[in-house]
Amino acid sequence: MADAPDAAMNQPAGYVPPRVWTWDQPSGGAFANINRPVGGATHDRNLPVGDHPIQLYSMGTPNGVKVTILLEELLAAGHSGAEYDAWMIEIGKGDQFGSGFVAVNPNSKIPAMVDRSIDPPVNLFESGSMMLYLAEKFGAFLPTEVHARAATVNWLMWQMGSAPFVGGGFGHFFAYAPFKIEYAINRYAMETKRQLHVLDTQLATNEYVAGGAYTIADMAVWPWYGSIAREAYGAQEFLGVDEYKNLMRWVEQVGAREAVKRGRMVNRTFGSPETQLRERHSARDFEINREDMVEARGGERV
Ligand SMILES: N[C@@H](CCC(=O)N[C@@H](CS)C(=O)NCC(=O)O)C(=O)O
Protein backbone atom coordinates (compact mmCIF):
# COMPACT_ATOMS: atom_id res chain seq x y z
CA MET A 1 0.00 0.00 0.00
CA ALA A 2 1.34 3.44 -0.86
CA ASP A 3 0.58 5.01 2.53
CA ALA A 4 2.47 2.79 4.99
CA PRO A 5 1.18 2.66 8.58
CA ASP A 6 4.19 4.47 10.04
CA ALA A 7 5.91 6.92 7.72
CA ALA A 8 8.75 7.32 10.22
CA MET A 9 9.82 3.79 9.26
CA ASN A 10 10.02 4.72 5.59
CA GLN A 11 13.20 5.48 3.71
CA PRO A 12 13.90 8.36 3.96
CA ALA A 13 12.12 8.64 7.31
CA GLY A 14 8.80 10.41 6.93
CA TYR A 15 8.57 9.81 3.19
CA VAL A 16 5.02 9.39 1.97
CA PRO A 17 4.49 8.68 -1.74
CA PRO A 18 2.63 11.62 -3.33
CA ARG A 19 -0.70 11.00 -5.04
CA VAL A 20 0.94 11.38 -8.44
CA TRP A 21 4.61 10.59 -9.08
CA THR A 22 6.60 13.27 -10.88
CA TRP A 23 10.13 13.16 -12.25
CA ASP A 24 11.62 16.02 -10.29
CA GLN A 25 14.87 14.65 -8.91
CA PRO A 26 17.62 12.28 -9.96
CA SER A 27 17.16 8.85 -8.41
CA GLY A 28 20.83 8.57 -7.43
CA GLY A 29 22.84 5.41 -7.87
CA ALA A 30 24.76 4.05 -10.81
CA PHE A 31 23.18 4.55 -14.26
CA ALA A 32 20.70 7.15 -12.93
CA ASN A 33 21.80 9.46 -15.76
CA ILE A 34 20.26 7.21 -18.43
CA ASN A 35 16.97 6.56 -16.64
CA ARG A 36 13.93 8.44 -17.90
CA PRO A 37 10.21 7.84 -17.37
CA VAL A 38 9.46 8.04 -21.11
CA GLY A 39 10.46 6.10 -24.21
CA GLY A 40 11.55 7.43 -27.58
CA ALA A 41 14.63 8.92 -29.21
CA THR A 42 16.57 11.80 -27.67
CA HIS A 43 18.68 12.57 -30.74
CA ASP A 44 19.01 11.85 -34.45
CA ARG A 45 21.55 9.23 -35.31
CA ASN A 46 21.56 6.60 -38.03
CA LEU A 47 22.91 3.15 -37.29
CA PRO A 48 26.02 2.06 -39.15
CA VAL A 49 25.67 -0.89 -41.54
CA GLY A 50 28.48 -3.33 -42.34
CA ASP A 51 28.95 -5.98 -45.00
CA HIS A 52 27.44 -9.01 -43.29
CA PRO A 53 23.86 -10.34 -43.33
CA ILE A 54 23.44 -9.87 -39.59
CA GLN A 55 23.94 -6.45 -38.01
CA LEU A 56 24.12 -6.46 -34.23
CA TYR A 57 23.90 -3.27 -32.14
CA SER A 58 24.93 -4.17 -28.64
CA MET A 59 27.26 -4.02 -25.68
CA GLY A 60 28.97 -6.84 -23.77
CA THR A 61 26.54 -7.04 -20.85
CA PRO A 62 24.95 -10.43 -20.10
CA ASN A 63 21.99 -9.63 -22.36
CA GLY A 64 24.32 -8.70 -25.21
CA VAL A 65 26.63 -11.66 -24.68
CA LYS A 66 23.80 -14.16 -25.02
CA VAL A 67 23.49 -13.24 -28.69
CA THR A 68 27.20 -13.00 -29.49
CA ILE A 69 27.73 -16.44 -27.96
CA LEU A 70 24.98 -17.84 -30.20
CA LEU A 71 26.39 -16.13 -33.30
CA GLU A 72 29.88 -17.47 -32.55
CA GLU A 73 28.46 -20.96 -31.92
CA LEU A 74 26.58 -20.83 -35.24
CA LEU A 75 29.74 -19.81 -37.08
CA ALA A 76 31.75 -22.51 -35.30
CA ALA A 77 29.11 -25.03 -36.41
CA GLY A 78 29.61 -23.96 -40.04
CA HIS A 79 26.62 -21.64 -40.55
CA SER A 80 28.36 -18.98 -42.62
CA GLY A 81 25.08 -17.07 -43.00
CA ALA A 82 25.53 -16.08 -39.36
CA GLU A 83 28.46 -13.79 -40.22
CA TYR A 84 27.82 -10.56 -38.40
CA ASP A 85 28.95 -7.04 -37.70
CA ALA A 86 28.76 -6.18 -34.01
CA TRP A 87 28.54 -2.43 -33.46
CA MET A 88 29.05 -0.79 -30.11
CA ILE A 89 26.08 0.85 -28.42
CA GLU A 90 27.41 2.51 -25.28
CA ILE A 91 24.39 2.60 -23.01
CA GLY A 92 26.17 4.79 -20.43
CA LYS A 93 26.48 7.44 -23.15
CA GLY A 94 22.83 7.12 -24.22
CA ASP A 95 23.50 5.55 -27.67
CA GLN A 96 20.34 3.46 -27.20
CA PHE A 97 18.29 6.65 -27.48
CA GLY A 98 19.52 7.49 -30.99
CA SER A 99 16.74 7.58 -33.62
CA GLY A 100 18.21 4.72 -35.68
CA PHE A 101 18.45 2.45 -32.67
CA VAL A 102 14.94 3.30 -31.49
CA ALA A 103 13.61 2.51 -34.98
CA VAL A 104 14.90 -1.05 -34.51
CA ASN A 105 14.13 -1.32 -30.79
CA PRO A 106 11.44 1.07 -29.50
CA ASN A 107 12.37 -0.15 -26.00
CA SER A 108 15.88 1.44 -26.21
CA LYS A 109 17.78 -1.49 -24.70
CA ILE A 110 20.65 -3.50 -26.10
CA PRO A 111 20.86 -5.90 -27.84
CA ALA A 112 19.12 -5.05 -31.11
CA MET A 113 19.69 -6.82 -34.39
CA VAL A 114 18.80 -6.47 -38.07
CA ASP A 115 18.79 -9.41 -40.48
CA ARG A 116 19.56 -7.81 -43.84
CA SER A 117 19.67 -11.11 -45.72
CA ILE A 118 15.90 -10.70 -46.09
CA ASP A 119 14.17 -7.93 -48.04
CA PRO A 120 12.86 -5.90 -46.34
CA PRO A 121 15.28 -6.43 -43.44
CA VAL A 122 13.97 -8.00 -40.23
CA ASN A 123 14.26 -5.93 -37.05
CA LEU A 124 14.77 -7.80 -33.79
CA PHE A 125 14.86 -6.79 -30.16
CA GLU A 126 14.71 -8.73 -26.88
CA SER A 127 17.61 -11.16 -26.67
CA GLY A 128 15.28 -14.16 -26.25
CA SER A 129 13.44 -13.27 -29.44
CA MET A 130 16.75 -12.91 -31.27
CA MET A 131 17.92 -16.31 -30.05
CA LEU A 132 14.74 -18.06 -31.14
CA TYR A 133 14.91 -16.30 -34.49
CA LEU A 134 18.53 -17.31 -35.13
CA ALA A 135 18.04 -20.88 -33.90
CA GLU A 136 15.05 -21.31 -36.21
CA LYS A 137 16.73 -19.58 -39.13
CA PHE A 138 19.73 -21.90 -38.99
CA GLY A 139 18.02 -24.98 -37.56
CA ALA A 140 20.56 -25.18 -34.77
CA PHE A 141 20.73 -25.32 -30.96
CA LEU A 142 16.93 -25.72 -30.74
CA PRO A 143 15.85 -29.36 -30.74
CA THR A 144 13.03 -30.33 -33.11
CA GLU A 145 11.65 -33.19 -30.98
CA VAL A 146 8.58 -31.77 -29.24
CA HIS A 147 9.55 -32.43 -25.59
CA ALA A 148 13.13 -31.27 -26.00
CA ARG A 149 12.03 -28.18 -27.89
CA ALA A 150 9.44 -27.30 -25.24
CA ALA A 151 12.07 -27.75 -22.49
CA THR A 152 14.49 -25.47 -24.36
CA VAL A 153 11.92 -22.72 -24.83
CA ASN A 154 10.76 -23.14 -21.21
CA TRP A 155 14.26 -22.46 -19.93
CA LEU A 156 14.87 -19.66 -22.41
CA MET A 157 11.71 -17.95 -21.15
CA TRP A 158 12.68 -18.74 -17.55
CA GLN A 159 15.90 -16.84 -18.09
CA MET A 160 14.13 -13.89 -19.69
CA GLY A 161 11.63 -13.69 -16.84
CA SER A 162 14.00 -14.43 -13.97
CA ALA A 163 17.17 -12.46 -14.66
CA PRO A 164 15.59 -9.01 -14.14
CA PHE A 165 15.11 -9.96 -10.46
CA VAL A 166 18.83 -10.65 -10.29
CA GLY A 167 20.06 -7.61 -12.24
CA GLY A 168 17.40 -4.99 -11.66
CA GLY A 169 16.62 -6.32 -8.19
CA PHE A 170 19.56 -7.90 -6.37
CA GLY A 171 22.39 -6.32 -8.37
CA HIS A 172 20.80 -2.90 -8.20
CA PHE A 173 20.23 -2.85 -4.46
CA PHE A 174 23.41 -4.74 -3.51
CA ALA A 175 25.83 -2.86 -5.75
CA TYR A 176 24.37 0.16 -7.55
CA ALA A 177 21.84 1.86 -5.25
CA PRO A 178 23.14 5.03 -3.58
CA PHE A 179 22.77 3.41 -0.13
CA LYS A 180 22.12 -0.06 1.25
CA ILE A 181 18.54 -0.98 2.11
CA GLU A 182 18.38 -4.15 4.19
CA TYR A 183 14.78 -4.92 3.23
CA ALA A 184 15.47 -4.69 -0.51
CA ILE A 185 18.74 -6.63 -0.33
CA ASN A 186 17.11 -9.40 1.70
CA ARG A 187 14.15 -9.62 -0.66
CA TYR A 188 16.28 -9.95 -3.78
CA ALA A 189 19.02 -12.09 -2.22
CA MET A 190 16.26 -14.56 -1.29
CA GLU A 191 14.94 -14.61 -4.84
CA THR A 192 18.42 -14.83 -6.40
CA LYS A 193 19.34 -17.77 -4.18
CA ARG A 194 16.03 -19.44 -4.99
CA GLN A 195 16.82 -19.14 -8.70
CA LEU A 196 20.35 -20.47 -8.19
CA HIS A 197 18.88 -23.45 -6.34
CA VAL A 198 16.34 -24.07 -9.13
CA LEU A 199 19.16 -24.16 -11.66
CA ASP A 200 21.40 -26.27 -9.44
CA THR A 201 18.62 -28.83 -9.00
CA GLN A 202 17.96 -28.97 -12.74
CA LEU A 203 21.65 -29.42 -13.47
CA ALA A 204 21.96 -32.23 -10.91
CA THR A 205 20.21 -34.60 -13.30
CA ASN A 206 20.81 -32.90 -16.64
CA GLU A 207 24.11 -32.19 -18.31
CA TYR A 208 22.72 -29.01 -19.83
CA VAL A 209 19.98 -26.65 -18.75
CA ALA A 210 17.23 -28.12 -20.94
CA GLY A 211 18.39 -31.74 -20.87
CA GLY A 212 21.12 -33.69 -22.61
CA ALA A 213 21.83 -31.24 -25.44
CA TYR A 214 23.60 -27.88 -25.46
CA THR A 215 20.98 -25.37 -26.65
CA ILE A 216 20.06 -21.70 -26.79
CA ALA A 217 18.78 -22.17 -23.22
CA ASP A 218 22.38 -22.67 -22.02
CA MET A 219 23.55 -19.69 -24.06
CA ALA A 220 20.84 -17.51 -22.52
CA VAL A 221 21.29 -18.67 -18.94
CA TRP A 222 25.10 -18.82 -18.83
CA PRO A 223 25.95 -15.11 -19.22
CA TRP A 224 23.71 -14.19 -16.28
CA TYR A 225 24.09 -17.07 -13.88
CA GLY A 226 27.70 -17.84 -14.84
CA SER A 227 28.48 -14.24 -14.06
CA ILE A 228 26.64 -14.37 -10.72
CA ALA A 229 28.59 -17.54 -9.93
CA ARG A 230 31.95 -16.02 -10.85
CA GLU A 231 32.16 -12.25 -10.52
CA ALA A 232 29.00 -10.16 -10.81
CA TYR A 233 28.44 -7.49 -8.16
CA GLY A 234 31.24 -8.93 -5.98
CA ALA A 235 28.47 -10.93 -4.30
CA GLN A 236 29.72 -14.53 -4.59
CA GLU A 237 30.56 -14.98 -0.90
CA PHE A 238 27.40 -13.11 0.13
CA LEU A 239 25.25 -15.44 -1.96
CA GLY A 240 27.25 -18.55 -1.03
CA VAL A 241 27.54 -19.58 -4.67
CA ASP A 242 29.95 -22.45 -3.96
CA GLU A 243 27.11 -24.46 -2.46
CA TYR A 244 25.57 -24.81 -5.93
CA LYS A 245 27.92 -27.58 -7.07
CA ASN A 246 26.01 -28.71 -10.16
CA LEU A 247 25.64 -25.13 -11.33
CA MET A 248 29.37 -24.53 -10.84
CA ARG A 249 30.17 -27.68 -12.87
CA TRP A 250 28.03 -26.41 -15.76
CA VAL A 251 29.40 -22.85 -15.50
CA GLU A 252 32.92 -24.21 -16.03
CA GLN A 253 31.85 -26.63 -18.76
CA VAL A 254 30.04 -24.04 -20.87
CA GLY A 255 32.65 -21.36 -20.15
CA ALA A 256 35.36 -23.61 -21.61
CA ARG A 257 33.77 -23.62 -25.08
CA GLU A 258 35.79 -21.62 -27.61
CA ALA A 259 32.70 -19.95 -29.09
CA VAL A 260 31.61 -18.89 -25.61
CA LYS A 261 35.04 -17.38 -24.94
CA ARG A 262 34.82 -15.46 -28.20
CA GLY A 263 31.21 -14.39 -27.69
CA ARG A 264 32.09 -12.97 -24.26
CA MET A 265 34.71 -10.69 -25.77
CA VAL A 266 32.49 -9.01 -28.34
CA ASN A 267 31.35 -5.45 -27.51
CA ARG A 268 32.95 -5.79 -24.07
CA THR A 269 33.89 -2.49 -22.43
CA PHE A 270 35.19 -3.67 -19.06
CA GLY A 271 37.80 -6.09 -17.71
CA SER A 272 41.37 -6.29 -18.95
CA PRO A 273 42.01 -5.05 -22.51
CA GLU A 274 42.93 -8.51 -23.85
CA THR A 275 39.39 -9.68 -23.00
CA GLN A 276 37.73 -6.95 -25.06
CA LEU A 277 36.85 -6.81 -28.73
CA ARG A 278 34.93 -3.54 -28.90
CA GLU A 279 33.53 -4.16 -32.39
CA ARG A 280 33.55 -7.30 -34.46
CA HIS A 281 33.40 -7.17 -38.24
CA SER A 282 35.19 -10.42 -39.09
CA ALA A 283 36.56 -13.48 -37.33
CA ARG A 284 40.03 -12.02 -37.82
CA ASP A 285 39.22 -9.17 -35.44
CA PHE A 286 39.82 -11.57 -32.54
CA GLU A 287 43.43 -11.81 -33.71
CA ILE A 288 44.14 -8.22 -34.67
CA ASN A 289 41.69 -5.84 -33.02
CA ARG A 290 41.55 -6.87 -29.38
CA GLU A 291 41.66 -3.82 -27.16
CA ASP A 292 45.21 -4.53 -25.89
CA MET A 293 46.36 -4.62 -29.53
CA VAL A 294 44.44 -1.46 -30.40
CA GLU A 295 45.97 0.31 -27.39
CA ALA A 296 49.47 -0.82 -28.39
CA ARG A 297 48.84 0.83 -31.79
CA GLY A 298 47.79 4.07 -30.11
CA GLY A 299 44.06 3.51 -30.68
CA GLU A 300 44.19 2.40 -34.31
CA ARG A 301 41.77 -0.34 -35.44
CA VAL A 302 42.91 -2.23 -38.54
N1 LIG B 1 14.83 -8.11 -21.79
C1 LIG B 1 15.83 -7.39 -22.53
C2 LIG B 1 16.71 -6.64 -21.54
C3 LIG B 1 17.68 -5.74 -22.23
C4 LIG B 1 18.38 -4.82 -21.25
O1 LIG B 1 17.94 -4.66 -20.10
N2 LIG B 1 19.47 -4.19 -21.71
C5 LIG B 1 20.19 -3.25 -20.87
C6 LIG B 1 21.66 -3.64 -20.77
S1 LIG B 1 21.87 -5.26 -20.11
C7 LIG B 1 20.14 -1.87 -21.49
O2 LIG B 1 20.23 -1.73 -22.69
N3 LIG B 1 20.02 -0.83 -20.66
C8 LIG B 1 20.04 0.52 -21.14
C9 LIG B 1 18.93 1.35 -20.57
O3 LIG B 1 18.20 0.85 -19.71
O4 LIG B 1 18.81 2.50 -20.99
C10 LIG B 1 16.67 -8.37 -23.38
O5 LIG B 1 16.86 -9.51 -22.91
O6 LIG B 1 17.07 -8.03 -24.49
Side-chain angles (χ1 to χ4, degrees):
M1 234 170 73
D3 43 332
D6 183 358
M9 297 287 287
N10 289 353
Q11 208 306 306
Y15 170 73
V16 176
R19 293 197 77 79
V20 178
W21 183 85
T22 50
W23 185 31
D24 55 6
Q25 57 183 4
S27 63
F31 311 119
N33 61 321
I34 56 169
N35 293 339
R36 299 181 308 146
V38 291
T42 57
H43 57 282
D44 282 333
R45 185 155 142 219
N46 292 334
L47 289 174
V49 178
D51 294 338
H52 296 306
I54 305 283
Q55 299 295 306
L56 180 70
Y57 303 97
S58 191
M59 195 174 155
T61 70
N63 288 320
V65 161
K66 288 188 239 173
V67 180
T68 49
I69 287 177
L70 174 54
L71 287 165
E72 291 296 331
E73 290 282 12
L74 287 167
L75 290 169
H79 298 284
S80 57
E83 265 301 344
Y84 68 107
D85 291 273
W87 302 95
M88 176 68 78
I89 298 294
E90 287 201 54
I91 59 176
K93 294 186 179 160
D95 292 349
Q96 70 276 33
F97 304 117
S99 53
F101 190 91
V102 173
V104 177
N105 183 1
N107 196 39
S108 287
K109 308 252 179 209
I110 66 92
M113 191 175 96
V114 181
D115 181 355
R116 302 183 69 88
S117 71
I118 292 172
D119 188 20
V122 181
N123 289 344
L124 293 130
F125 63 95
E126 287 294 322
S127 53
S129 167
M130 292 156 70
M131 297 183 89
L132 266 181
Y133 177 87
L134 289 169
E136 283 176 342
K137 179 180 171 90
F138 293 104
F141 303 115
L142 178 59
T144 49
E145 192 280 323
V146 63
H147 302 88
R149 181 187 164 90
T152 303
V153 177
N154 288 345
W155 282 101
L156 176 68
M157 295 299 160
W158 176 86
Q159 186 283 315
M160 293 295 289
S162 299
F165 289 95
V166 175
F170 176 74
H172 178 79
F173 287 109
F174 187 79
Y176 300 146
F179 41 79
K180 307 292 178 217
I181 305 168
E182 184 181 8
Y183 174 82
I185 290 174
N186 282 344
R187 174 179 162 82
Y188 288 111
M190 168 109 73
E191 170 60 9
T192 300
K193 281 187 71 78
R194 191 192 67 80
Q195 292 181 17
L196 291 170
H197 186 243
V198 167
L199 264 184
D200 191 60
T201 306
Q202 173 71 1
L203 288 163
T205 52
N206 295 282
E207 183 174 2
Y208 293 104
V209 164
Y214 176 63
T215 67
I216 51 172
D218 296 281
M219 299 177 216
V221 173
W222 190 88
W224 273 99
Y225 295 87
S227 154
I228 280 289
R230 303 209 292 195
E231 73 267 325
Y233 316 123
Q236 290 58 51
E237 188 181 359
F238 182 76
L239 293 171
V241 296
D242 288 337
E243 75 192 68
Y244 306 108
K245 303 266 180 262
N246 309 299
L247 173 64
M248 292 314 242
R249 181 269 301 158
W250 169 87
V251 166
E252 294 308 316
Q253 188 176 341
V254 173
R257 296 178 67 93
E258 289 306 316
V260 172
K261 290 184 195 164
R262 282 197 299 279
R264 281 191 82 189
M265 293 174 64
V266 178
N267 295 146
R268 188 174 163 104
T269 52
F270 55 91
S272 55
E274 62 274 18
T275 66
Q276 300 178 28
L277 180 61
R278 295 290 181 106
E279 287 192 359
R280 183 241 188 249
H281 300 289
S282 83
R284 216 168 146 246
D285 282 330
F286 290 101
E287 284 144 42
I288 57 172
N289 276 326
R290 278 186 351 227
E291 204 51 22
D292 54 325
M293 299 164 173
V294 171
E295 281 176 14
R297 291 193 297 263
E300 192 196 354
R301 293 194 158 73
V302 291

